[in-house]
Each structure stands twice: as C-alpha cells, then as structure tokens.
Amino acid sequence: SVTTSVTMTDALKQNLYFAKVSSLDSSVRVQGAVMKITDVDEPNKYIEWTTTSAAKKIEVGSTYPAGSFALVIGHTYTFEELQAPDGYKVAESITFKVEGTTIAPRMTIVSGDTSALYYDQQTIAMKDEPISVLLRKVSETDAIITGAYFDLYESVGTTDTLVKKDITTTPGEPTVTLT
C-alpha cells in the first residue's frame, strides 16, 4: 500500500511599519508621541499607540479581522500624531494607500510628506520637528548685540534645570533646540 501525505501551509501575511524620527537626524527615533492610523472610509477602524524606540508593526490583511486591527489592501488611511512628546511640534498628518497583496504589500503617499515613505515602500517614518527658541539680545534702539551671555532654564514646580548656556554671536541670534 502507498501512503501519500499532503502538507498545507497558510501564506505568510506581511507587515507594514510606522515610526517617528527627528527631522534633524532620521536615525533618532522619537519616543512618547501618541499616534493614530484611521481608515479614511471607515473611521471606526483605527489603531492608537505611543511610540517607542521600535517602529510599530501592523499586519496587512484582505479584510478587517474580528476584534483587532489590520491594514487592508486597497484602503486609504490617515497617519496622524495626536500628541507630540515634550520638546517637539505636532507633525503634519500623512494620508497613504495600502497596495499590492498581503504577501507583498506596499504603501503610497496620497498627501503629506512624501519623503516619509522609505524606499522599500513598507515603512513610513513621520518626522517630528524639535521646538526651537530664537534668543536675541538687542539695544534700546533694536540693534543686535553680540557677545551677550545667557542661561536658559526650564522651571518645573519649584525646580529650575539649566537647559542651555551660550553666548550670542554674529548676527547675535542663537537658536536653542528644546529636545
């Protein structure tokens, strides 16, 4: 007698990735931002999370799984920052479309920062811009004064913490990045 066996395996589903990076250095992951991805046509289908040092991995499917969230092929989504971490501005939202197949998905940017999409078309890295403060020392006649020393402190409750110590130089306008 001959025995034949057949093994069936499900096709592996792939993931798409979402990260927050500094606009000054894209290798720096911004942690603590509250993010949301929402289906443009079905706003009750969304996912929220707080960023960490790792990119958010989201599975791609052909339909929405019961009780959870996946990105669906052919759907358009809005990737938005609900709350920026201290020292950063809230970034502009990015609208993207999921294309391809569940085995080989890719994204295209519909609107927003097109440079946020990595070359592999499987990762979007939204850029957060640090908040900057322009310090200017001027005379009574509004002439810029160079050579002025300054200390910039952050006050939290009763504690003052030195953030930056610098001197104004030509043209007398140091910029302090608060991250």
Side-chain angles (χ1 to χ4, degrees), residues 51-100:
T51 59
T52 65
S53 60
K56 176 71 172 175
K57 176 173 69 171
I58 302 178
E59 189 175 282
V60 176
S62 54
T63 61
Y64 284 110
S68 64
F69 183 83
L71 296 167
V72 178
I73 299 293
H75 286 229
T76 300
Y77 297 88
T78 301
F79 179 32
E80 64 183 317
E81 183 172 28
L82 301 177
Q83 181 180 342
D86 288 345
Y88 289 93
K89 299 176 185 177
V90 172
E92 177 186 335
S93 295
I94 297 171
T95 302
F96 65 95
K97 185 172 185 175
V98 178
E99 299 176 327

mmCIF file of all heavy atoms in Angstrom, residues 51-100:
data_model
loop_
_atom_site.group_PDB
_atom_site.id
_atom_site.type_symbol
_atom_site.label_atom_id
_atom_site.label_comp_id
_atom_site.label_asym_id
_atom_site.label_seq_id
_atom_site.Cartn_x
_atom_site.Cartn_y
_atom_site.Cartn_z
ATOM 1 N N THR A 51 4.616 55.917 20.696
ATOM 2 C CA THR A 51 5.853 55.477 20.049
ATOM 3 C C THR A 51 6.911 55.086 21.071
ATOM 4 O O THR A 51 6.980 55.619 22.173
ATOM 5 C CB THR A 51 6.424 56.571 19.123
ATOM 6 O OG1 THR A 51 6.674 57.753 19.889
ATOM 7 C CG2 THR A 51 5.481 56.868 17.973
ATOM 8 N N THR A 52 7.735 54.130 20.647
ATOM 9 C CA THR A 52 8.883 53.666 21.427
ATOM 10 C C THR A 52 10.105 53.750 20.506
ATOM 11 O O THR A 52 10.025 54.321 19.416
ATOM 12 C CB THR A 52 8.679 52.210 21.897
ATOM 13 O OG1 THR A 52 8.653 51.355 20.745
ATOM 14 C CG2 THR A 52 7.391 52.048 22.695
ATOM 15 N N SER A 53 11.192 53.121 20.907
ATOM 16 C CA SER A 53 12.393 53.126 20.064
ATOM 17 C C SER A 53 12.235 52.199 18.856
ATOM 18 O O SER A 53 13.034 52.258 17.927
ATOM 19 C CB SER A 53 13.620 52.720 20.880
ATOM 20 O OG SER A 53 13.434 51.421 21.399
ATOM 21 N N ALA A 54 11.212 51.363 18.854
ATOM 22 C CA ALA A 54 10.975 50.441 17.735
ATOM 23 C C ALA A 54 9.808 50.942 16.892
ATOM 24 O O ALA A 54 8.879 51.573 17.394
ATOM 25 C CB ALA A 54 10.657 49.042 18.262
ATOM 26 N N ALA A 55 9.853 50.651 15.600
ATOM 27 C CA ALA A 55 8.745 51.004 14.711
ATOM 28 C C ALA A 55 7.525 50.156 15.060
ATOM 29 O O ALA A 55 7.655 49.010 15.504
ATOM 30 C CB ALA A 55 9.145 50.768 13.253
ATOM 31 N N LYS A 56 6.335 50.724 14.878
ATOM 32 C CA LYS A 56 5.087 49.989 15.112
ATOM 33 C C LYS A 56 4.860 49.058 13.926
ATOM 34 O O LYS A 56 4.870 49.474 12.776
ATOM 35 C CB LYS A 56 3.918 50.969 15.248
ATOM 36 C CG LYS A 56 2.563 50.324 15.408
ATOM 37 C CD LYS A 56 2.431 49.679 16.756
ATOM 38 C CE LYS A 56 1.003 49.208 16.998
ATOM 39 N NZ LYS A 56 0.893 48.478 18.257
ATOM 40 N N LYS A 57 4.640 47.776 14.220
ATOM 41 C CA LYS A 57 4.415 46.766 13.185
ATOM 42 C C LYS A 57 2.918 46.497 13.121
ATOM 43 O O LYS A 57 2.293 46.175 14.129
ATOM 44 C CB LYS A 57 5.181 45.492 13.552
ATOM 45 C CG LYS A 57 4.953 44.334 12.619
ATOM 46 C CD LYS A 57 5.869 43.159 12.955
ATOM 47 C CE LYS A 57 5.496 42.524 14.262
ATOM 48 N NZ LYS A 57 6.225 41.263 14.517
ATOM 49 N N ILE A 58 2.326 46.632 11.909
ATOM 50 C CA ILE A 58 0.895 46.373 11.733
ATOM 51 C C ILE A 58 0.718 45.373 10.597
ATOM 52 O O ILE A 58 1.237 45.560 9.496
ATOM 53 C CB ILE A 58 0.118 47.668 11.437
ATOM 54 C CG1 ILE A 58 0.320 48.680 12.578
ATOM 55 C CG2 ILE A 58 -1.372 47.365 11.236
ATOM 56 C CD1 ILE A 58 -0.353 50.003 12.371
ATOM 57 N N GLU A 59 -0.032 44.326 10.882
ATOM 58 C CA GLU A 59 -0.283 43.268 9.897
ATOM 59 C C GLU A 59 -1.153 43.786 8.753
ATOM 60 O O GLU A 59 -1.988 44.654 8.932
ATOM 61 C CB GLU A 59 -0.980 42.103 10.587
ATOM 62 C CG GLU A 59 -1.103 40.869 9.708
ATOM 63 C CD GLU A 59 -1.685 39.692 10.474
ATOM 64 O OE1 GLU A 59 -0.930 39.064 11.239
ATOM 65 O OE2 GLU A 59 -2.884 39.426 10.298
ATOM 66 N N VAL A 60 -0.947 43.207 7.583
ATOM 67 C CA VAL A 60 -1.742 43.540 6.400
ATOM 68 C C VAL A 60 -2.675 42.377 6.113
ATOM 69 O O VAL A 60 -2.268 41.210 6.149
ATOM 70 C CB VAL A 60 -0.838 43.801 5.175
ATOM 71 C CG1 VAL A 60 -1.667 44.051 3.929
ATOM 72 C CG2 VAL A 60 0.092 44.963 5.454
ATOM 73 N N GLY A 61 -3.937 42.681 5.829
ATOM 74 C CA GLY A 61 -4.909 41.643 5.526
ATOM 75 C C GLY A 61 -5.787 42.031 4.346
ATOM 76 O O GLY A 61 -5.693 43.132 3.807
ATOM 77 N N SER A 62 -6.668 41.122 3.971
ATOM 78 C CA SER A 62 -7.599 41.421 2.882
ATOM 79 C C SER A 62 -8.927 41.949 3.428
ATOM 80 O O SER A 62 -9.719 42.526 2.699
ATOM 81 C CB SER A 62 -7.829 40.188 2.015
ATOM 82 O OG SER A 62 -8.239 39.109 2.827
ATOM 83 N N THR A 63 -9.153 41.752 4.740
ATOM 84 C CA THR A 63 -10.332 42.277 5.431
ATOM 85 C C THR A 63 -9.921 42.613 6.857
ATOM 86 O O THR A 63 -8.840 42.225 7.307
ATOM 87 C CB THR A 63 -11.487 41.242 5.493
ATOM 88 O OG1 THR A 63 -11.019 40.098 6.214
ATOM 89 C CG2 THR A 63 -11.967 40.841 4.111
ATOM 90 N N TYR A 64 -10.804 43.303 7.569
ATOM 91 C CA TYR A 64 -10.530 43.589 8.977
ATOM 92 C C TYR A 64 -10.788 42.346 9.805
ATOM 93 O O TYR A 64 -11.854 41.759 9.722
ATOM 94 C CB TYR A 64 -11.415 44.737 9.488
ATOM 95 C CG TYR A 64 -10.943 46.090 9.016
ATOM 96 C CD1 TYR A 64 -11.666 46.822 8.096
ATOM 97 C CD2 TYR A 64 -9.754 46.624 9.492
ATOM 98 C CE1 TYR A 64 -11.229 48.059 7.655
ATOM 99 C CE2 TYR A 64 -9.300 47.860 9.055
ATOM 100 C CZ TYR A 64 -10.041 48.574 8.143
ATOM 101 O OH TYR A 64 -9.594 49.784 7.718
ATOM 102 N N PRO A 65 -9.814 41.913 10.617
ATOM 103 C CA PRO A 65 -10.032 40.748 11.473
ATOM 104 C C PRO A 65 -10.979 41.123 12.622
ATOM 105 O O PRO A 65 -10.991 42.260 13.068
ATOM 106 C CB PRO A 65 -8.640 40.416 11.994
ATOM 107 C CG PRO A 65 -7.851 41.672 11.855
ATOM 108 C CD PRO A 65 -8.467 42.459 10.734
ATOM 109 N N ALA A 66 -11.758 40.182 13.068
ATOM 110 C CA ALA A 66 -12.697 40.425 14.169
ATOM 111 C C ALA A 66 -11.932 40.776 15.436
ATOM 112 O O ALA A 66 -11.002 40.090 15.819
ATOM 113 C CB ALA A 66 -13.566 39.194 14.400
ATOM 114 N N GLY A 67 -12.316 41.877 16.047
ATOM 115 C CA GLY A 67 -11.749 42.255 17.332
ATOM 116 C C GLY A 67 -10.346 42.810 17.312
ATOM 117 O O GLY A 67 -9.758 43.012 18.362
ATOM 118 N N SER A 68 -9.761 43.039 16.156
ATOM 119 C CA SER A 68 -8.422 43.620 16.110
ATOM 120 C C SER A 68 -8.299 44.518 14.882
ATOM 121 O O SER A 68 -9.269 44.754 14.175
ATOM 122 C CB SER A 68 -7.349 42.526 16.109
ATOM 123 O OG SER A 68 -7.446 41.745 14.951
ATOM 124 N N PHE A 69 -7.105 44.998 14.628
ATOM 125 C CA PHE A 69 -6.875 45.938 13.531
ATOM 126 C C PHE A 69 -5.807 45.400 12.603
ATOM 127 O O PHE A 69 -4.815 44.817 13.037
ATOM 128 C CB PHE A 69 -6.416 47.295 14.086
ATOM 129 C CG PHE A 69 -6.221 48.343 13.026
ATOM 130 C CD1 PHE A 69 -7.291 49.072 12.551
ATOM 131 C CD2 PHE A 69 -4.968 48.582 12.490
ATOM 132 C CE1 PHE A 69 -7.122 50.040 11.573
ATOM 133 C CE2 PHE A 69 -4.778 49.551 11.513
ATOM 134 C CZ PHE A 69 -5.865 50.280 11.049
ATOM 135 N N ALA A 70 -6.025 45.575 11.325
ATOM 136 C CA ALA A 70 -5.021 45.280 10.297
ATOM 137 C C ALA A 70 -5.185 46.323 9.209
ATOM 138 O O ALA A 70 -6.250 46.930 9.071
ATOM 139 C CB ALA A 70 -5.216 43.876 9.722
ATOM 140 N N LEU A 71 -4.143 46.537 8.449
ATOM 141 C CA LEU A 71 -4.247 47.398 7.273
ATOM 142 C C LEU A 71 -4.788 46.547 6.131
ATOM 143 O O LEU A 71 -4.323 45.434 5.923
ATOM 144 C CB LEU A 71 -2.880 47.978 6.918
ATOM 145 C CG LEU A 71 -2.301 48.910 7.988
ATOM 146 C CD1 LEU A 71 -0.833 49.179 7.719
ATOM 147 C CD2 LEU A 71 -3.090 50.208 8.050
ATOM 148 N N VAL A 72 -5.775 47.075 5.424
ATOM 149 C CA VAL A 72 -6.454 46.301 4.391
ATOM 150 C C VAL A 72 -6.004 46.785 3.010
ATOM 151 O O VAL A 72 -5.989 47.983 2.730
ATOM 152 C CB VAL A 72 -7.988 46.407 4.542
ATOM 153 C CG1 VAL A 72 -8.703 45.652 3.436
ATOM 154 C CG2 VAL A 72 -8.420 45.881 5.912
ATOM 155 N N ILE A 73 -5.651 45.829 2.156
ATOM 156 C CA ILE A 73 -5.234 46.135 0.787
ATOM 157 C C ILE A 73 -6.341 46.927 0.089
ATOM 158 O O ILE A 73 -7.515 46.582 0.164
ATOM 159 C CB ILE A 73 -4.940 44.828 -0.008
ATOM 160 C CG1 ILE A 73 -3.804 44.039 0.651
ATOM 161 C CG2 ILE A 73 -4.649 45.112 -1.482
ATOM 162 C CD1 ILE A 73 -2.458 44.693 0.608
ATOM 163 N N GLY A 74 -5.939 48.012 -0.580
ATOM 164 C CA GLY A 74 -6.881 48.850 -1.320
ATOM 165 C C GLY A 74 -7.484 49.978 -0.505
ATOM 166 O O GLY A 74 -8.138 50.859 -1.057
ATOM 167 N N HIS A 75 -7.258 49.989 0.807
ATOM 168 C CA HIS A 75 -7.818 51.044 1.649
ATOM 169 C C HIS A 75 -6.831 52.198 1.812
ATOM 170 O O HIS A 75 -5.626 52.020 1.724
ATOM 171 C CB HIS A 75 -8.188 50.493 3.028
ATOM 172 C CG HIS A 75 -9.409 49.640 3.020
ATOM 173 N ND1 HIS A 75 -10.435 49.806 3.910
ATOM 174 C CD2 HIS A 75 -9.784 48.609 2.224
ATOM 175 C CE1 HIS A 75 -11.389 48.911 3.675
ATOM 176 N NE2 HIS A 75 -11.001 48.161 2.654
ATOM 177 N N THR A 76 -7.393 53.382 2.087
ATOM 178 C CA THR A 76 -6.606 54.586 2.314
ATOM 179 C C THR A 76 -6.730 54.962 3.787
ATOM 180 O O THR A 76 -7.810 54.877 4.373
ATOM 181 C CB THR A 76 -7.113 55.729 1.414
ATOM 182 O OG1 THR A 76 -6.992 55.308 0.045
ATOM 183 C CG2 THR A 76 -6.313 57.006 1.603
ATOM 184 N N TYR A 77 -5.615 55.386 4.380
ATOM 185 C CA TYR A 77 -5.543 55.666 5.809
ATOM 186 C C TYR A 77 -4.907 57.020 6.070
ATOM 187 O O TYR A 77 -4.131 57.522 5.263
ATOM 188 C CB TYR A 77 -4.701 54.598 6.525
ATOM 189 C CG TYR A 77 -5.289 53.222 6.441
ATOM 190 C CD1 TYR A 77 -4.987 52.384 5.365
ATOM 191 C CD2 TYR A 77 -6.159 52.760 7.420
ATOM 192 C CE1 TYR A 77 -5.546 51.119 5.269
ATOM 193 C CE2 TYR A 77 -6.721 51.497 7.332
ATOM 194 C CZ TYR A 77 -6.413 50.689 6.261
ATOM 195 O OH TYR A 77 -6.976 49.436 6.171
ATOM 196 N N THR A 78 -5.232 57.570 7.243
ATOM 197 C CA THR A 78 -4.567 58.776 7.730
ATOM 198 C C THR A 78 -3.697 58.382 8.914
ATOM 199 O O THR A 78 -4.170 57.752 9.860
ATOM 200 C CB THR A 78 -5.585 59.847 8.157
ATOM 201 O OG1 THR A 78 -6.403 60.181 7.042
ATOM 202 C CG2 THR A 78 -4.887 61.111 8.642
ATOM 203 N N PHE A 79 -2.418 58.745 8.836
ATOM 204 C CA PHE A 79 -1.439 58.516 9.900
ATOM 205 C C PHE A 79 -1.227 59.869 10.555
ATOM 206 O O PHE A 79 -0.751 60.812 9.919
ATOM 207 C CB PHE A 79 -0.147 57.990 9.266
ATOM 208 C CG PHE A 79 0.998 57.719 10.208
ATOM 209 C CD1 PHE A 79 0.802 57.295 11.511
ATOM 210 C CD2 PHE A 79 2.308 57.864 9.757
ATOM 211 C CE1 PHE A 79 1.873 57.021 12.353
ATOM 212 C CE2 PHE A 79 3.387 57.588 10.582
ATOM 213 C CZ PHE A 79 3.168 57.170 11.887
ATOM 214 N N GLU A 80 -1.638 60.008 11.831
ATOM 215 C CA GLU A 80 -1.561 61.307 12.478
ATOM 216 C C GLU A 80 -0.953 61.221 13.869
ATOM 217 O O GLU A 80 -1.026 60.188 14.531
ATOM 218 C CB GLU A 80 -2.943 61.958 12.551
ATOM 219 C CG GLU A 80 -3.943 61.215 13.392
ATOM 220 C CD GLU A 80 -5.322 61.840 13.388
ATOM 221 O OE1 GLU A 80 -5.431 63.071 13.482
ATOM 222 O OE2 GLU A 80 -6.298 61.079 13.284
ATOM 223 N N GLU A 81 -0.375 62.326 14.259
ATOM 224 C CA GLU A 81 0.183 62.455 15.593
ATOM 225 C C GLU A 81 -0.837 63.209 16.435
ATOM 226 O O GLU A 81 -1.161 64.358 16.149
ATOM 227 C CB GLU A 81 1.509 63.224 15.532
ATOM 228 C CG GLU A 81 2.198 63.362 16.853
ATOM 229 C CD GLU A 81 3.589 63.957 16.704
ATOM 230 O OE1 GLU A 81 3.842 64.716 15.749
ATOM 231 O OE2 GLU A 81 4.435 63.653 17.550
ATOM 232 N N LEU A 82 -1.359 62.561 17.463
ATOM 233 C CA LEU A 82 -2.344 63.193 18.333
ATOM 234 C C LEU A 82 -1.684 64.072 19.387
ATOM 235 O O LEU A 82 -2.227 65.091 19.780
ATOM 236 C CB LEU A 82 -3.209 62.127 19.020
ATOM 237 C CG LEU A 82 -3.997 61.195 18.095
ATOM 238 C CD1 LEU A 82 -4.754 60.158 18.907
ATOM 239 C CD2 LEU A 82 -4.942 61.989 17.212
ATOM 240 N N GLN A 83 -0.510 63.639 19.852
ATOM 241 C CA GLN A 83 0.214 64.399 20.862
ATOM 242 C C GLN A 83 1.704 64.192 20.663
ATOM 243 O O GLN A 83 2.171 63.048 20.608
ATOM 244 C CB GLN A 83 -0.194 63.941 22.259
ATOM 245 C CG GLN A 83 0.495 64.684 23.370
ATOM 246 C CD GLN A 83 0.049 64.185 24.743
ATOM 247 O OE1 GLN A 83 -0.984 63.543 24.876
ATOM 248 N NE2 GLN A 83 0.845 64.468 25.749
ATOM 249 N N ALA A 84 2.430 65.293 20.542
ATOM 250 C CA ALA A 84 3.886 65.221 20.390
ATOM 251 C C ALA A 84 4.538 65.128 21.769
ATOM 252 O O ALA A 84 4.007 65.657 22.746
ATOM 253 C CB ALA A 84 4.398 66.458 19.657
ATOM 254 N N PRO A 85 5.691 64.464 21.851
ATOM 255 C CA PRO A 85 6.406 64.434 23.124
ATOM 256 C C PRO A 85 6.988 65.814 23.439
ATOM 257 O O PRO A 85 7.098 66.670 22.553
ATOM 258 C CB PRO A 85 7.508 63.402 22.893
ATOM 259 C CG PRO A 85 7.642 63.271 21.427
ATOM 260 C CD PRO A 85 6.347 63.694 20.814
ATOM 261 N N ASP A 86 7.354 66.021 24.707
ATOM 262 C CA ASP A 86 7.937 67.297 25.117
ATOM 263 C C ASP A 86 9.106 67.661 24.209
ATOM 264 O O ASP A 86 9.937 66.814 23.877
ATOM 265 C CB ASP A 86 8.432 67.224 26.566
ATOM 266 C CG ASP A 86 7.288 67.192 27.568
ATOM 267 O OD1 ASP A 86 6.140 67.504 27.183
ATOM 268 O OD2 ASP A 86 7.550 66.860 28.736
ATOM 269 N N GLY A 87 9.150 68.933 23.813
ATOM 270 C CA GLY A 87 10.246 69.440 23.000
ATOM 271 C C GLY A 87 10.030 69.320 21.501
ATOM 272 O O GLY A 87 10.881 69.721 20.724
ATOM 273 N N TYR A 88 8.886 68.763 21.069
ATOM 274 C CA TYR A 88 8.613 68.591 19.644
ATOM 275 C C TYR A 88 7.280 69.209 19.265
ATOM 276 O O TYR A 88 6.355 69.273 20.083
ATOM 277 C CB TYR A 88 8.579 67.101 19.265
ATOM 278 C CG TYR A 88 9.929 66.453 19.289
ATOM 279 C CD1 TYR A 88 10.390 65.806 20.431
ATOM 280 C CD2 TYR A 88 10.752 66.481 18.170
ATOM 281 C CE1 TYR A 88 11.633 65.204 20.453
ATOM 282 C CE2 TYR A 88 11.998 65.884 18.189
ATOM 283 C CZ TYR A 88 12.432 65.245 19.332
ATOM 284 O OH TYR A 88 13.658 64.656 19.356
ATOM 285 N N LYS A 89 7.182 69.645 18.002
ATOM 286 C CA LYS A 89 5.922 70.121 17.444
ATOM 287 C C LYS A 89 5.130 68.927 16.930
ATOM 288 O O LYS A 89 5.711 67.921 16.535
ATOM 289 C CB LYS A 89 6.187 71.053 16.255
ATOM 290 C CG LYS A 89 6.969 72.298 16.582
ATOM 291 C CD LYS A 89 7.247 73.084 15.319
ATOM 292 C CE LYS A 89 8.148 74.277 15.597
ATOM 293 N NZ LYS A 89 8.482 74.990 14.353
ATOM 294 N N VAL A 90 3.797 69.053 16.901
ATOM 295 C CA VAL A 90 2.958 68.009 16.307
ATOM 296 C C VAL A 90 3.194 68.027 14.798
ATOM 297 O O VAL A 90 3.153 69.081 14.159
ATOM 298 C CB VAL A 90 1.463 68.243 16.630
ATOM 299 C CG1 VAL A 90 0.580 67.280 15.863
ATOM 300 C CG2 VAL A 90 1.220 68.109 18.129
ATOM 301 N N ALA A 91 3.453 66.864 14.231
ATOM 302 C CA ALA A 91 3.762 66.742 12.803
ATOM 303 C C ALA A 91 2.486 66.777 11.956
ATOM 304 O O ALA A 91 1.392 66.461 12.438
ATOM 305 C CB ALA A 91 4.511 65.444 12.543
ATOM 306 N N GLU A 92 2.663 67.113 10.699
ATOM 307 C CA GLU A 92 1.564 67.102 9.733
ATOM 308 C C GLU A 92 1.145 65.658 9.453
ATOM 309 O O GLU A 92 1.982 64.762 9.353
ATOM 310 C CB GLU A 92 2.054 67.750 8.427
ATOM 311 C CG GLU A 92 1.039 67.752 7.312
ATOM 312 C CD GLU A 92 1.624 68.276 5.999
ATOM 313 O OE1 GLU A 92 2.606 69.044 6.031
ATOM 314 O OE2 GLU A 92 1.093 67.903 4.939
ATOM 315 N N SER A 93 -0.160 65.439 9.336
ATOM 316 C CA SER A 93 -0.678 64.102 9.044
ATOM 317 C C SER A 93 -0.247 63.637 7.654
ATOM 318 O O SER A 93 0.003 64.455 6.765
ATOM 319 C CB SER A 93 -2.203 64.093 9.119
ATOM 320 O OG SER A 93 -2.616 64.361 10.438
ATOM 321 N N ILE A 94 -0.192 62.323 7.493
ATOM 322 C CA ILE A 94 0.153 61.708 6.215
ATOM 323 C C ILE A 94 -0.995 60.776 5.822
ATOM 324 O O ILE A 94 -1.420 59.953 6.624
ATOM 325 C CB ILE A 94 1.462 60.899 6.318
ATOM 326 C CG1 ILE A 94 2.634 61.828 6.666
ATOM 327 C CG2 ILE A 94 1.730 60.117 5.030
ATOM 328 C CD1 ILE A 94 3.923 61.094 6.997
ATOM 329 N N THR A 95 -1.487 60.928 4.605
ATOM 330 C CA THR A 95 -2.508 60.020 4.087
ATOM 331 C C THR A 95 -1.815 59.061 3.124
ATOM 332 O O THR A 95 -1.044 59.489 2.261
ATOM 333 C CB THR A 95 -3.632 60.791 3.370
ATOM 334 O OG1 THR A 95 -4.200 61.718 4.309
ATOM 335 C CG2 THR A 95 -4.731 59.863 2.867
ATOM 336 N N PHE A 96 -2.071 57.762 3.302
ATOM 337 C CA PHE A 96 -1.408 56.759 2.471
ATOM 338 C C PHE A 96 -2.402 55.687 2.059
ATOM 339 O O PHE A 96 -3.441 55.506 2.679
ATOM 340 C CB PHE A 96 -0.220 56.119 3.216
ATOM 341 C CG PHE A 96 -0.615 55.316 4.435
ATOM 342 C CD1 PHE A 96 -0.805 53.946 4.351
ATOM 343 C CD2 PHE A 96 -0.799 55.940 5.665
ATOM 344 C CE1 PHE A 96 -1.181 53.205 5.461
ATOM 345 C CE2 PHE A 96 -1.167 55.206 6.782
ATOM 346 C CZ PHE A 96 -1.360 53.838 6.684
ATOM 347 N N LYS A 97 -2.056 54.976 0.991
ATOM 348 C CA LYS A 97 -2.882 53.873 0.493
ATOM 349 C C LYS A 97 -2.065 52.589 0.554
ATOM 350 O O LYS A 97 -0.873 52.589 0.245
ATOM 351 C CB LYS A 97 -3.327 54.141 -0.942
ATOM 352 C CG LYS A 97 -4.287 53.090 -1.471
ATOM 353 C CD LYS A 97 -4.871 53.481 -2.818
ATOM 354 C CE LYS A 97 -5.905 52.443 -3.230
ATOM 355 N NZ LYS A 97 -6.583 52.822 -4.458
ATOM 356 N N VAL A 98 -2.730 51.502 0.978
ATOM 357 C CA VAL A 98 -2.088 50.190 1.021
ATOM 358 C C VAL A 98 -2.388 49.490 -0.302
ATOM 359 O O VAL A 98 -3.543 49.367 -0.702
ATOM 360 C CB VAL A 98 -2.595 49.346 2.215
ATOM 361 C CG1 VAL A 98 -1.949 47.971 2.211
ATOM 362 C CG2 VAL A 98 -2.324 50.073 3.521
ATOM 363 N N GLU A 99 -1.343 49.048 -0.976
ATOM 364 C CA GLU A 99 -1.485 48.403 -2.285
ATOM 365 C C GLU A 99 -0.729 47.078 -2.289
ATOM 366 O O GLU A 99 -0.121 46.694 -1.294
ATOM 367 C CB GLU A 99 -0.951 49.338 -3.376
ATOM 368 C CG GLU A 99 -1.719 50.642 -3.439
ATOM 369 C CD GLU A 99 -1.157 51.625 -4.450
ATOM 370 O OE1 GLU A 99 0.076 51.643 -4.659
ATOM 371 O OE2 GLU A 99 -1.956 52.368 -5.031
ATOM 372 N N GLY A 100 -0.783 46.391 -3.406
ATOM 373 C CA GLY A 100 -0.084 45.121 -3.537
ATOM 374 C C GLY A 100 -0.953 43.974 -3.058
ATOM 375 O O GLY A 100 -2.168 43.967 -3.245
#
